[in-house]
Amino acid sequence: MDALFCVPMLSVFLIPVLSSYSTTLNFLFFYMTWSTLVLSHTPLRVEIFGTIAIRVLFYALPSIVMFLFDILTPSAAVVIKAHGSTGLPGGKRRRNIRLREIKVAGWSLLNLCLAIALQWGIETLCVRAFRMRSALKVTLKLPMPYEMVRDLILGMLGREALTYIIHRFALHSKESPLTKLHHFWYHQLHAPFPLSGHYDHPLTYLLSNFIPTYLPAVVFRFHMLTYLIYLVFISVEETFAYSGYTIMPTHFFLVGMARRIDMHVLTYGEGNFGPWGIMDWICKTTVGDTEVIDDAADDAEERAREKRARKVYDSPPRKSAGSTPRAPKPTAGSAARRR
């Protein structure tokens, strides 16, 4: 675990955020840190411990804090829950947390560890057993910005398509043997709550969560930095979309994703099989009123309202067009002079 907490590993994430130097110096420090990290550790260690760091910082720790907030202060948490007390881990029982909720949290973290272990096993087989190149690129050369943007878009679209296909046809089909496992585990939840994003039977979890996330990165052979950014987006998405809260870092996509997931659970899987809703919109399997276009329209409308309100607040008060200035009242001295 020394690689996870060493200075080069942490600096890769902290320097761009905490430093106050110019862009050129930031890039130079970042490249030096990345070079030190790659030269001092094997590519396999960089990939695995980088994955662990992202998952811990952006999913596990925030989700655990939210879970504890829900079960320790339910009266405060219920105020920001989209479905009230139903969205709490204990449901309407609030403080009466049973072993089931602890089981959901435990299996969620265990599945996360299982996915990282499977990623390590795949890389070990590729590099050491079959003498192949690594599934992800871990090199001193940094990717160009347009390459990172291109790979991120391809990865997100590939994940959306794979999640939809697997979720709909492998986990919600009467002919699939995995449907019973998925319904007996995941669809026993009354509503999504923190740490439920990775809860499912291990087999169905690896099929519906790990493969759609990892396979696009392998197919397009992401650079390790691109993969870490890719994991940051996915981890933040899973943290907030499964929290059940109405308060999100951004209203664009996250709120719509959270409501789509809510409707998927509340309707026992009648629709909303993809995380972003693009495939559901194309295939007409959307349930509820939370389509992607509506999310974008609502976000644009809210921004327009805020802009108009800020403009009205900042503008000086205007006089009405028909009003005329009043003449000052005559004083005793001015009346005497007129006489």
Side-chain angles (χ1 to χ4, degrees):
M1 293 297 290
D2 57 332
L4 180 59
F5 298 102
C6 67
V7 173
M9 174 63 75
L10 294 179
S11 300
V12 167
F13 308 110
L14 296 180
I15 283 180
V17 178
L18 301 180
S19 61
S20 59
Y21 300 106
S22 64
T23 304
T24 304
L25 287 178
N26 280 335
F27 179 79
L28 180 61
F29 290 153
F30 179 82
Y31 182 74
M32 291 173 59
T33 303
W34 175 254
S35 302
T36 304
L37 180 64
V38 172
L39 293 175
S40 58
H41 299 284
T42 63
L44 181 61
R45 286 169 62 89
V46 173
E47 176 182 341
I48 297 304
F49 287 108
T51 302
I52 294 174
I54 292 296
R55 284 304 201 177
V56 169
L57 292 175
F58 293 94
Y59 176 77
L61 287 181
S63 297
I64 291 173
V65 171
M66 292 178 182
F67 182 76
L68 293 176
F69 173 71
D70 283 1
I71 64 176
L72 296 179
T73 58
S75 299
V78 74
V79 177
I80 57 175
K81 285 290 184 178
H83 300 283
S85 58
T86 304
L88 294 173
K92 295 183 178 180
R93 295 173 287 104
R94 295 196 177 189
R95 291 187 179 276
N96 187 19
I97 302 297
R98 299 176 301 181
L99 183 62
R100 177 174 179 77
E101 284 72 36
I102 305 300
K103 172 188 172 183
V104 170
W107 271 110
S108 179
L109 296 175
L110 185 61
N111 282 336
L112 186 62
C113 296
L114 181 63
I116 296 174
L118 182 57
Q119 180 179 341
W120 175 82
I122 293 173
E123 286 288 4
T124 302
L125 287 176
C126 290
V127 176
R128 297 181 180 177
F130 300 122
R131 302 296 179 181
M132 299 169 56
R133 66 181 186 179
S134 60
L136 301 176
K137 289 187 289 187
V138 183
T139 60
L140 289 175
K141 181 181 177 181
L142 299 178
M144 298 298 292
Y146 74 89
E147 294 177 343
M148 299 179 70
V149 173
R150 179 201 61 196
D151 289 344
L152 288 174
I153 293 175
L154 291 174
M156 289 297 184
L157 292 178
R159 173 174 173 261
E160 170 75 12
L162 286 172
T163 302
Y164 179 87
I165 293 171
I166 294 173
H167 201 176
R168 180 180 179 182
F169 298 104
L171 303 185
H172 286 278
S173 174
K174 295 181 180 179
E175 293 78 15
S176 175
L178 300 175
T179 301
K180 289 185 178 180
L181 285 177
H182 182 63
H183 279 263
F184 184 76
W185 282 64
Y186 182 75
H187 280 286
Q188 293 303 310
L189 298 175
H190 47 81
F193 54 83
L195 283 177
S196 64
H198 287 252
Y199 173 70
D200 207 340
H201 187 277
L203 181 60
T204 55
Y205 165 79
L206 292 176
L207 185 64
S208 63
N209 189 294
F210 173 73
I211 290 179
T213 299
Y214 188 63
L215 186 58
V218 174
V219 170
F220 300 109
R221 200 160 186 259
F222 285 2
H223 190 278
M224 190 59 207
L225 286 177
T226 305
Y227 182 70
L228 293 179
I229 297 174
Y230 174 70
L231 272 188
V232 168
F233 287 149
I234 293 176
S235 299
V236 172
E237 167 195 312
E238 292 170 342
T239 298
F240 288 96
Y242 287 89
S243 64
Y245 295 153
T246 57
I247 300 176
M248 301 283 174
T250 174
H251 284 270
F252 190 62
F253 275 122
L254 277 182
V255 173
M257 290 174 63
R259 300 296 80 83
R260 278 189 290 275
I261 292 171
D262 291 349
M263 292 303 298
H264 177 80
V265 175
L266 295 173
T267 59
Y268 296 98
E270 292 183 2
N272 295 352
F273 302 107
W276 282 17
I278 298 175
M279 292 295 297
D280 288 289
W281 178 66
I282 294 174
C283 300
K284 301 185 183 303
T285 53
T286 300
V287 293
D289 55 350
T290 54
E291 298 184 12
V292 176
I293 296 178
D294 294 336
D295 299 338
D298 293 342
D299 184 69
E301 184 180 355
E302 182 176 353
R303 291 177 182 274
R305 286 199 303 266
E306 293 178 355
K307 186 177 181 179
R308 289 195 299 267
R310 192 180 302 110
K311 184 177 180 181
V312 171
Y313 179 79
D314 294 337
S315 61
R318 298 179 179 178
K319 297 180 180 179
S320 59
S323 62
T324 56
R326 294 182 179 180
K329 292 183 178 180
T331 59
S334 61
R337 286 194 296 271
R338 283 200 299 270
R339 288 196 297 268

